[in-house]
């Protein structure tokens, strides 16, 4: 459980007292101004609860909370102030959407109890979002696995794109944005609709017009699925992105613009690597067509392991029985029925759906020995 609590107050004597009172049982952060508090919130580790003063120089408590919400996603906000007027409390609740409002002086135990409640609220919110995230990801994973059975080459590329997206998100600290990961999983869905024949090849010479049509088709297919509206917008926008990457916030428009930039950058990198362009050359070409790409994204593209999701030539293949297959293995040779018919092509990454297909075939018609890269 995240027990990180940030106190923001221009009264440093009060902050020292809070530090002593809360040193046991909490991971305390202290800031003597709103600006300093924002700097702490920009760090990779998420703050669970923020307790802010109202009257502070340069930036008051409501202004601070307004800016802070652009940075944080699940943080719970409380206000501790010396103001006695009712209007301040009303503004704190209605404008700042604060979880609790306290007037100074506030008994320590009352504040401790309130912070504990805030931590529970934070845990409830993050747990709910994690459940939703896992539900969506599981559903999308099942969908793409089934599609992979009919379009293995296209969705073999999908694995590489997902891997690149994960590396980029890790590098620029955006791992909490599940929309980007799902966009990478679903981006090729429209290719099947727009050009089913092209979807069965790994030819990356696809026109800009076809790319836009495929993106629009994918967007239309998923836009009406609850909570996937932003994912649909990311996929729709990505062919036109020139590298815009605004500061991430809660606004769906900002998430979509950022996601479109990241999605196009990893797709362009993957396409060039598959055409035999060197990693350095590929990044150089991407910067030319996406001139507004931020430096941290360029650095991330330059440092990703472009072979991480490809078949490693130095691995030793091992023979396994169907019941020992695991997700993530790669077929070293065709999974072939005893009558010579190829069931699954060599180089395919094993998924749950493929395991089911192989096991069923092994029972019904028999299979030649399976060799995989584990």
């Amino acid at each position: 459980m995240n027990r990180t609590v940030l106190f923001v107050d221009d009264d440093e004597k009060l902050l020292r007292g809070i530090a002593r009172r809360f040193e046991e049982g909490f991971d305390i952060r202290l800031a003597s101004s709103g600006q300093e508090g924002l700097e702490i919130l920009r760090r990779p580790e998420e703050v669970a609860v923020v307790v802010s003063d109202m009257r502070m120089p340069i930036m008051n408590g409501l202004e601070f909370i307004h800016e802070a919400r652009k940075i944080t996603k699940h943080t719970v906000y409380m206000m501790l102030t010396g103001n006695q007027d009712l209007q301040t409390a009303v503004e704190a609740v209605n404008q700042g959407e604060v979880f609790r409002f306290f007037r100074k002086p506030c008994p320590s135990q009352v504040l401790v109890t309130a912070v504990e409640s805030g931590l529970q609220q934070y845990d409830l919110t993050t747990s709910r979002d994690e459940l939703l995230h896992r539900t969506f990801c599981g559903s999308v994973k099942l969908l793409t696995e089934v599609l992979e059975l009919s379009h293995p080459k296209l969705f073999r590329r999908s694995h590489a794109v997902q891997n690149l997206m994960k590396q980029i998100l890790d590098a620029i600290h955006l791992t909490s944005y599940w929309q980007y990961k799902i966009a990478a999983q679903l981006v090729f869905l429209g290719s099947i609709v727009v050009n089913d024949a092209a979807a069965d090849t790994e030819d990356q010479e696809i026109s800009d017009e076809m790319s836009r049509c495929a993106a629009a088709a994918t967007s239309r297919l998923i836009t009406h699925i609850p909570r996937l509206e932003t994912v649909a917008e990311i996929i729709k926008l990505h062919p036109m992105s020139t590298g815009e990457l605004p500061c991430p916030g809660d606004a769906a428009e900002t998430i979509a613009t950022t996601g479109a930039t990241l999605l196009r950058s990893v797709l362009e990198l993957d396409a060039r690597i598959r055409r035999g362009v060197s990693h350095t050359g590929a990044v150089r070409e991407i910067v030319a067509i996406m001139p507004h790409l931020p430096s941290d994204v360029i650095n991330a593209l330059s440092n990703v392991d472009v072979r991480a999701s490809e078949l490693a030539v130095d691995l030793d293949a091992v023979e396994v029985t169907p019941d020992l297959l695991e997700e993530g293995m790669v077929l070293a040779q065709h999974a072939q029925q005893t009558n010579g018919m190829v069931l699954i092509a060599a180089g395919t990454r094993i998924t749950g759906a493929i395991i089911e297909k192989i096991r069923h075939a092994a029972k019904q018609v028999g299979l030649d020995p399976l060799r995989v890269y584990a």
Side-chain angles (χ1 to χ4, degrees), residues 75-352:
T75 301
V76 175
Y77 291 89
M78 303 184 188
M79 185 162 286
L80 178 65
T81 177
N83 292 330
Q84 305 298 314
D85 59 292
L86 179 62
Q87 186 59 34
T88 297
V90 171
E91 291 178 356
V93 173
N94 292 340
Q95 296 181 28
E97 299 180 6
V98 298
F99 181 68
R100 295 283 191 275
F101 179 88
F102 301 101
R103 291 184 297 184
K104 297 177 181 177
C106 178
S108 295
Q109 191 53 49
V110 171
L111 191 55
V112 168
T113 301
V115 169
E116 287 286 2
S117 297
L119 291 172
Q120 292 175 12
Q121 178 65 23
Y122 171 85
D123 192 47
L124 177 65
T125 303
T126 53
S127 297
R128 180 198 63 196
D129 278 12
E130 175 64 17
L131 177 61
L132 287 171
H133 169 66
R134 291 175 63 183
T135 300
F136 276 124
C137 287
S139 300
V140 171
K141 181 174 180 288
L142 177 61
L143 171 64
T144 55
E145 285 183 1
V146 172
L147 288 172
E148 186 173 356
L149 293 175
S150 58
H151 297 86
K153 292 183 179 179
L154 179 67
F155 283 89
R156 190 182 306 162
R157 186 187 175 201
S158 176
H159 288 298
V161 170
Q162 291 172 52
N163 181 278
L164 291 173
M165 177 65 86
K166 181 181 184 303
Q167 291 187 65
I168 297 295
L169 294 177
D170 287 342
I172 62 176
H173 308 298
L174 287 181
T175 53
S176 63
Y177 288 84
W178 57 267
Q179 295 93 334
Y180 304 155
K181 303 170 188 176
I182 292 186
Q185 285 180 280
L186 292 177
V187 67
F188 294 114
L189 184 62
S191 298
I192 301 172
V193 177
V194 173
N195 192 337
D196 188 67
D200 284 327
T201 74
E202 292 185 273
D203 180 9
Q204 303 309 313
E205 297 298 332
I206 300 173
S207 68
D208 291 342
E209 181 60 27
M210 185 179 292
S211 177
R212 284 192 291 270
C213 288
T218 304
S219 181
R220 287 193 297 271
L221 287 170
I222 68 174
T223 192
H224 299 299
I225 301 175
R227 293 181 68 86
L228 287 188
E229 299 88 349
T230 302
V231 175
E233 190 68 11
I234 289 171
I235 294 174
K236 178 182 177 181
L237 293 175
H238 88 267
M240 291 79 76
S241 175
T242 59
E244 299 86 354
L245 186 61
C247 294
D250 290 336
E253 182 179 355
T254 300
I255 296 175
T257 303
T258 301
T261 288
L262 298 177
L263 184 58
R264 184 181 183 189
S265 67
V266 298
L267 285 168
E268 296 287 355
L269 178 61
D270 175 73
R272 282 161 174 74
I273 294 298
R274 288 174 184 272
R275 290 203 301 265
V277 180
S278 69
H279 191 164
T280 302
V283 174
R284 189 183 304 116
E285 291 182 13
I286 292 170
V287 172
I289 63 173
M290 302 179 71
H292 304 298
L293 204 61
S295 58
D296 58 344
V297 178
I298 295 173
N299 290 335
L301 288 170
S302 300
N303 292 314
V304 294
D305 180 4
V306 295
R307 294 184 52 189
S309 58
E310 297 298 321
L311 187 61
V313 297
D314 56 346
L315 291 177
D316 291 326
V318 296
E319 186 172 312
V320 296
T321 57
D323 60 301
L324 292 179
L325 286 174
E326 296 180 4
E327 293 190 39
M329 291 179 172
V330 177
L331 286 175
Q333 60 188 38
H334 297 327
Q336 190 167 281
Q337 296 177 184
T338 51
N339 61 9
M341 180 178 293
V342 174
L343 187 67
I344 305 292
T348 300
R349 191 171 297 274
I350 299 296
T351 65

Side-chain angles (χ1 to χ4, degrees), residues 61-79:
L62 287 179
E63 293 169 338
F64 161 70
I65 292 175
H66 176 75
E67 294 301 315
R69 288 194 182 279
K70 298 178 182 179
I71 302 171
T72 64
K73 186 175 182 181
H74 300 111
T75 301
V76 175
Y77 291 89
M78 303 184 188
M79 185 162 286

